């Protein structure tokens, strides 16, 4: 080893199809900053996000220590590099971390024995544990087996004799009364979160201002809620540790300057906080974001999960930033009381939720929520009821997820699987595979997820029906395109859920104008599932199917894939189906249908077209259409629809980043949200 220990820390993203994870590697960089502070002068650290970047570094100089953070979307990619690095030089210390490991000790031991090239797995918060681990490694002469026998705190390992070893717990940073934090070994350096040097301020993140990634910022750690499907749902994370607001704001101001200079086409910032804006201090942070927006024109998109309660305060925080830059995101997951009890969650009532949505609309803000299919005790009826209830509450958009078996959660345990009779299947994560040069050899790597497709209260046929509803809702509600239809229904006393229900039933019985698209979606919903992890991996990890994934034939996020198809080639059929159904629920006389059709055709920006247009003009034939659009009937009947300059510029930029196929379009939809793909009424001429 040279005078300084060289440490590579990776939080990798798949890049072969497109970026599967677009955030700066905050967790890895925070661990790097902590190690650098604890062992100043003894280590040289570099952080990696891209596989090609890591491979190039390995060709220049092999590290003394390789650390990697794994989550469901990148653990196999990290493991592939870990295995190759150990093959290149068995003396390199290999350390894994992140939340993607089981709660159950037997499964933890099995994981390490299945991956013997991983010397240690660091649990929970990684900064102190990793710093202590490297400190001991250097102090004992860099002997890995001796290090294992010392049982570093919060670290798992299997020694040369096959014995599983688990170090004792460490307290969380920033909490009063925490257990010993390894202070005797690293000098008591990390009492509070702000004692970890910001990787944005110390230069460790500079290489990632590359016009590809968007910053990830953490203002606090912990979550007071106990959801059984979430990795922060248990005691370890139940108390809150806060960063200093002035430190956060200083970081935000520097990030804004660097983004404008180095990443001018990236509009987004993401907050890692699980309940952003739920605390009074977040109002100050929101004010700082607005200052950044006013001074730099950045950020234009603020991604976060807003708090589960304190709605009035959240509204006040969101109102401080520029309009339409931060969407209020409330995770409902279910409205079934039995399900909520099983997953240890307490939602506000739908009536109260409707009142919040009314206030959101009054203030001109945007809102979205999450629902999860196949949670314990959920039935098809209760799930459908939740969807209709959210639609009628005034919610503008919601995400429909399947229950994922995340490691380190209660739902992942064998006891939960038995209690709810989970039918579990494996599928490829969207964009979660690629062919990479790893340790000097080409390798195809796929990252997979395990999901629930049936329980003792929800059959697989129910699962398929619910997924069909998700598709119908994604197209006809979430997109935000059909504002004039919503107005027409409201004027005639028709609930929006009544329309969605009719479209859903048509989709189920095959009589819809989009029947072919729905059939293809359902077929892919079945064919994407595999009984075992190995069967799923074997199917995808070959050259033929890798190219099929790249071409969007298989392995995509199906809701976004088929929404992108609906908004491009299938748009005429989508509007035909809608207008046919609306005509059964509200009067659409004379030339109004033609006006509605022309309006809807002009409303959508077709991102598949090479000559994508910012504006479209069409003629209105009826006074009724002018009334619906709140336009003066005395004006000439020509209406121009246009996209905002910044929104259209973002679409143009992302067309250069992502492929021109459903994979690329769905990625753009996920990043910019469906409402960014529409034109709005400009001044009549």
């Amino acid at each position: 080893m040279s005078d300084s220990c060289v440490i590579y820390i990776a939080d990798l993203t798949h890049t072969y199809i497109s970026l599967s994870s677009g955030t700066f590697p905050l967790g890895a960089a925070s661990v790097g900053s902590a190690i650098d502070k604890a062992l100043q002068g003894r280590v040289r650290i570099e952080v990696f996000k891209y596989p090609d970047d890591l491979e190039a570094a390995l060709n220049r100089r092999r590290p003394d220590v390789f650390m990697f953070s794994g989550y469901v979307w990148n653990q196999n990619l990290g493991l592939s590099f870990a295995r190759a690095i150990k093959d290149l030089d068995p003396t390199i210390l290999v350390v894994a971390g992140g939340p993607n490991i089981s709660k159950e000790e037997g499964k933890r031991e099995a994981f390490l024995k299945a991956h013997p090239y991983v010397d240690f797995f660091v649990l929970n918060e990684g900064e102190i544990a990793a710093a202590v681990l490297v400190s001991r490694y250097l102090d004992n002469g860099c002997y890995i087996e001796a290090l294992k026998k010392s049982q570093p705190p919060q670290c798992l390992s299997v020694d040369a004799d096959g014995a599983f070893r688990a170090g004792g717990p460490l307290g969380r940073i920033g909490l009063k009364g925490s257990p010993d934090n390894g202070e005797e070994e690293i000098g008591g350096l990390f009492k509070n979160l702000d004692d970890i040097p910001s990787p944005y301020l110390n230069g460790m993140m500079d290489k990632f201002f590359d016009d590809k990634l968007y910053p990830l910022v953490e203002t606090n750690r912990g979550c007071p809620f106990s959801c059984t499907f979430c990795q922060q749902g248990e005691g370890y994370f139940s108390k809150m540790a806060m960063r200093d607001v002035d430190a956060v704001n200083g970081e935000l101001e520097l990030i804004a300057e660097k983004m404008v200079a180095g990443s001018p086409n990236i509009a987004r910032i993401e907050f890692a906080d699980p309940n952003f804006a739920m605390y009074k201090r977040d109002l100050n942070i929101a004010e700082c974001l607005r200052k950044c927006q006013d001074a730099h024109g950045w950020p234009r998109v603020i991604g976060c999960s807003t708090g589960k309660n304190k709605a009035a305060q959240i509204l006040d925080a969101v109102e401080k930033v520029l309009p339409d830059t931060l969407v209020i995101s409330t995770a409902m997951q279910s409205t079934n009381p039995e399900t909520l009890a099983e997953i240890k969650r307490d939602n506000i009532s739908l009536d109260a939720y409707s009142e919040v949505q009314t206030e959101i609309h009054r203030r001109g803000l945007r809102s979205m929520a999450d629902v999860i299919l196949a949670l314990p005790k959920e039935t098809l009826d209760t799930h459908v009821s939740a969807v209709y209830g959210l639609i009628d509450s005034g919610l503008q958009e919601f995400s429909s997820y399947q229950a994922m078996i995340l490691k380190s959660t209660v739902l992942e345990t064998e006891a939960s699987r038995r209690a709810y009779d989970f039918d579990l299947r494996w599928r490829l994560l969207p964009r979660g595979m690629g062919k990479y040069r790893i340790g000097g050899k080409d390798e195809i790597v796929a990252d997979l997820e395990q999901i629930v497709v049936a329980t003792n209260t929800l059959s697989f046929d129910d699962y398929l029906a619910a997924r069909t509803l998700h598709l119908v809702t994604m197209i006809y509600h979430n997109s935000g395109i059909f504002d004039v239809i919503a107005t027409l229904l409201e004027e005639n006393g028709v609930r929006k859920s009544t329309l969605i229900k009719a479209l859903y039933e048509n989709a189920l019985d095959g009589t819809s104008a989009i029947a072919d698209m729905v059939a293809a979606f359902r077929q892919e919903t079945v064919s994407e599932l595999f009984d075992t992890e190995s069967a799923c991996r074997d199917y995808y990890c070959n050259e033929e199917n890798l190219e099929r994934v790249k071409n969007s034939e298989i392995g995509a996020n199906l809701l976004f894939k088929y929404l992108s198809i609906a908004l491009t080639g299938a748009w005429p059929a989508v509007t035909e189906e809608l207008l046919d159904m609306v005509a059964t629920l509200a009067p659409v006389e004379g030339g109004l249908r033609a006006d509605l059709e022309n309006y809807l055709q002009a409303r959508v920006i077709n991102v598949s077209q090479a000559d994508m247009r910012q504006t479209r003009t069409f003629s209105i034939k009826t006074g009724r259409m002018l009334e619906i659009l709140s336009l003066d009937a005395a004006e000439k009947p020509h209406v121009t629809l246009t996209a905002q300059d910044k929104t259209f510029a973002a679409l143009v930029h992302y067309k250069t980043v992502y492929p021109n196929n459903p994979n690329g379009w769905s990625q753009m939809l996920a990043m910019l949200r469906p409402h960014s793909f529409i034109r709005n009424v400009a001044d009549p001429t």
Side-chain angles (χ1 to χ4, degrees):
M1 183 184 299
S2 62
D3 291 339
S4 295
C5 173
V6 175
I7 303 175
Y8 291 170
I9 308 179
D11 179 8
L12 299 174
T13 177
H14 285 277
T15 58
Y16 186 83
I17 297 166
S18 62
L19 289 178
S20 63
S21 169
T23 60
F24 281 45
L26 177 62
S30 294
V31 169
S33 290
I35 296 172
D36 187 59
K37 178 178 179 178
L39 300 170
Q40 284 184 356
R42 301 178 68 188
V43 295
R44 287 190 290 121
I45 296 169
E46 187 170 359
V47 179
F48 298 89
K49 181 74 175 182
Y50 306 120
D52 290 348
D53 188 24
L54 177 56
E55 178 69 5
L58 291 172
N59 290 333
R60 291 192 302 269
R61 205 275 191 208
R62 294 174 189 171
D64 302 300
V65 178
F66 175 63
M67 296 181 163
F68 68 101
S69 176
Y71 195 50
V72 63
W73 54 64
N74 72 346
Q75 187 170 70
N76 288 340
L77 185 56
L79 286 169
S80 292
F81 270 98
R83 182 179 61 249
I85 288 169
K86 203 69 166 179
D87 287 343
L88 290 172
D89 185 347
T91 67
I92 296 174
L93 175 65
V94 175
V95 183
N100 207 44
I101 192 165
S102 177
K103 287 172 55 67
E104 299 174 307
E105 184 173 298
K107 292 180 180 178
R108 290 175 170 181
E109 180 177 352
F111 173 85
L112 285 170
K113 288 184 174 179
H115 306 285
Y117 45 86
V118 175
D119 296 309
F120 290 92
F121 196 105
V122 177
L123 299 173
N124 299 320
E125 284 184 341
E127 289 91 354
I128 292 175
V132 171
L133 181 69
V134 175
S135 177
R136 287 193 188 183
Y137 180 61
L138 297 179
D139 290 344
N140 75 10
C142 303
Y143 293 111
I144 294 175
E145 281 305 309
L147 183 62
K148 289 181 178 180
K149 286 180 168 52
S150 77
Q151 293 190 188
Q154 211 159 281
C155 293
L156 308 176
S157 64
V158 172
D159 66 21
D161 297 325
F164 176 70
R165 296 177 176 271
L170 288 172
R172 282 186 49 214
I173 302 170
L175 297 185
K176 294 180 180 180
S178 284
D180 171 54
N181 266 353
E183 310 291 356
E184 78 286 351
E185 296 189 59
I186 54 174
L189 295 175
F190 304 107
K191 303 283 188 185
N192 300 295
L193 289 176
D194 292 302
D195 292 331
I196 305 167
S198 167
Y200 289 105
L201 303 184
N202 67 12
M204 199 167 283
M205 290 289 211
D206 282 356
K207 65 190 280 188
F208 303 113
F209 290 93
D210 61 359
D211 221 17
K212 297 178 183 177
L213 302 175
Y214 51 93
L216 179 65
V217 173
E218 179 181 58
T219 80
N220 61 57
R221 287 186 185 174
C223 181
F225 303 101
S226 303
C227 307
T228 62
F229 54 82
C230 179
Q231 289 157 330
Q232 294 194 40
E234 282 210 292
Y236 179 84
F237 291 105
S238 63
K239 294 182 179 180
M240 298 301 301
M242 302 288 186
R243 290 183 61 195
D244 178 73
V245 171
D246 289 339
V248 171
N249 289 346
E251 188 174 81
L252 290 173
E253 289 166 3
L254 180 66
I255 290 171
E257 293 174 4
K258 289 189 173 183
M259 288 299 291
V260 171
S263 299
N265 291 301
I266 303 299
R268 185 182 186 90
I269 188 172
E270 189 80 21
F271 284 88
D273 309 2
N275 297 288
F276 184 73
M278 199 172 78
Y279 303 98
K280 286 185 178 180
R281 63 200 297 276
D282 294 336
L283 294 171
N284 189 303
I285 294 170
E287 289 174 354
C288 180
L289 286 167
R290 178 56 183 265
K291 289 177 183 177
C292 291
Q293 291 176 322
D294 291 340
H296 303 288
W298 186 92
R300 298 188 297 278
V301 180
I302 302 168
C304 65
S305 175
T306 50
K308 281 71 172 175
N309 54 35
K310 298 186 180 179
Q313 181 174 288
I314 292 169
L315 290 173
D316 289 342
V318 173
E319 202 168 29
K320 288 182 180 296
V321 301
L322 284 175
D324 209 27
T325 57
L326 197 165
V327 176
I328 298 171
S329 175
T330 49
M332 294 292 284
Q333 319 306 12
S334 174
T335 60
N336 178 27
E338 288 186 81
T339 297
L340 295 173
E342 292 294 316
I343 64 175
K344 298 183 180 179
R345 188 175 182 86
D346 186 18
N347 287 342
I348 65 174
S349 69
L350 271 177
D351 287 342
Y353 195 74
S354 296
E355 293 177 8
V356 172
Q357 294 304 314
T358 298
E359 182 63 13
I360 287 171
H361 285 283
R362 188 188 72 78
R363 299 192 191 194
L365 305 176
R366 290 191 58 78
S367 63
M368 65 179 296
D370 301 337
V371 293
I372 300 178
L373 174 62
L375 287 171
K377 301 295 184 180
E378 197 79 83
T379 68
L380 178 61
D381 287 344
T382 61
H383 184 76
V384 169
S385 177
V387 171
Y388 292 158
L390 287 172
I391 289 171
D392 287 335
S393 75
L395 182 74
Q396 293 156 313
E397 180 183 351
F398 61 90
S399 298
S400 305
Y401 297 117
Q402 296 80 63
M404 185 191 300
I405 299 299
L406 290 173
K407 295 176 181 176
S408 296
T409 67
V410 173
L411 284 194
E412 182 247 351
T413 63
E414 290 300 319
S416 291
R417 298 181 189 208
R418 290 192 298 270
Y420 307 117
D421 195 19
F422 286 154
D423 181 354
L424 302 177
R425 307 289 176 89
W426 291 87
R427 67 181 181 186
L428 179 71
L429 280 156
R431 305 174 304 281
M433 74 174 300
K435 183 177 181 180
Y436 308 101
R437 195 75 175 167
I438 301 176
K441 300 176 182 178
D442 289 336
E443 183 176 346
I444 297 175
V445 183
D447 275 289
L448 316 171
E449 64 178 341
Q450 190 178 35
I451 64 170
V452 183
V453 299
T455 69
N456 50 16
T457 57
L458 184 95
S459 70
F460 185 68
D461 285 343
D462 293 339
Y463 170 85
L464 288 178
R467 290 282 283 158
T468 304
L469 175 61
H470 296 168
L471 176 63
V472 169
T473 305
M474 190 76 156
I475 296 170
Y476 291 107
H477 175 73
N478 283 4
S479 62
I481 295 168
F482 304 105
D483 56 340
V484 295
I485 302 300
T487 299
L488 189 61
L489 293 176
E490 185 177 358
E491 289 177 351
N492 286 274
V494 179
R495 290 178 176 270
K496 193 171 183 181
S497 65
T498 302
L499 172 64
I500 298 298
K501 182 175 185 289
L503 292 166
Y504 165 55
E505 291 174 349
N506 252 19
L508 285 179
D509 66 22
T511 60
S512 167
I514 57 171
D516 289 345
M517 185 174 70
V518 171
F521 170 81
R522 286 172 63 91
Q523 189 276 326
E524 282 202 70
T525 299
V526 175
S527 65
E528 72 173 355
L529 303 174
F530 294 83
D531 290 336
T532 65
E533 183 178 13
S534 59
C536 187
R537 184 185 301 110
D538 291 347
Y539 177 79
Y540 284 108
C541 287
N542 58 73
E543 295 283 356
E544 178 183 356
N545 283 339
L546 173 62
E547 287 307 301
R548 293 181 67 203
V549 172
K550 188 174 183 179
N551 294 329
S552 302
E553 296 174 34
I554 54 175
N557 179 315
L558 295 182
L559 285 177
F560 278 110
K561 174 182 176 178
Y562 280 90
L563 176 59
S564 74
I565 292 171
L567 298 183
T568 53
W571 188 236
V574 167
T575 55
E576 177 188 348
E577 170 68 5
L578 175 71
L579 294 175
D580 284 348
M581 193 58 64
V582 169
T584 69
L585 301 172
V588 183
E589 303 102 349
L592 180 57
R593 173 165 178 143
D595 278 348
L596 289 169
E597 186 172 351
N598 289 335
Y599 171 81
L600 293 174
Q601 293 302 318
R603 183 106 159 107
V604 171
I605 300 172
N606 189 334
V607 295
S608 71
Q609 295 175 341
D611 60 341
M612 191 172 66
R613 295 164 58 185
Q614 184 173 0
T615 64
R616 287 281 301 272
T617 299
F618 70 101
S619 297
I620 292 179
K621 304 298 185 184
T622 67
R624 181 73 180 105
M625 186 67 186
L626 289 171
E627 290 175 3
I628 293 172
L629 293 175
S630 299
L631 297 176
D632 187 349
E635 299 287 346
K636 295 180 180 179
H638 299 285
V639 174
T640 296
L641 303 185
T642 187
Q644 292 182 350
D645 290 344
K646 289 182 178 180
T647 300
F648 190 73
L651 289 174
V652 171
H653 168 68
Y654 280 116
K655 274 180 68 69
T656 69
V657 174
Y658 299 115
N660 190 30
N661 62 27
N663 252 332
W665 310 330
S666 63
Q667 182 84 338
M668 292 168 66
L669 282 163
M671 288 287 294
L672 299 174
R673 309 311 300 176
H675 72 275
S676 297
F677 285 62
I678 62 178
R679 303 180 182 95
N680 292 301
V681 175
D683 292 333
T685 58

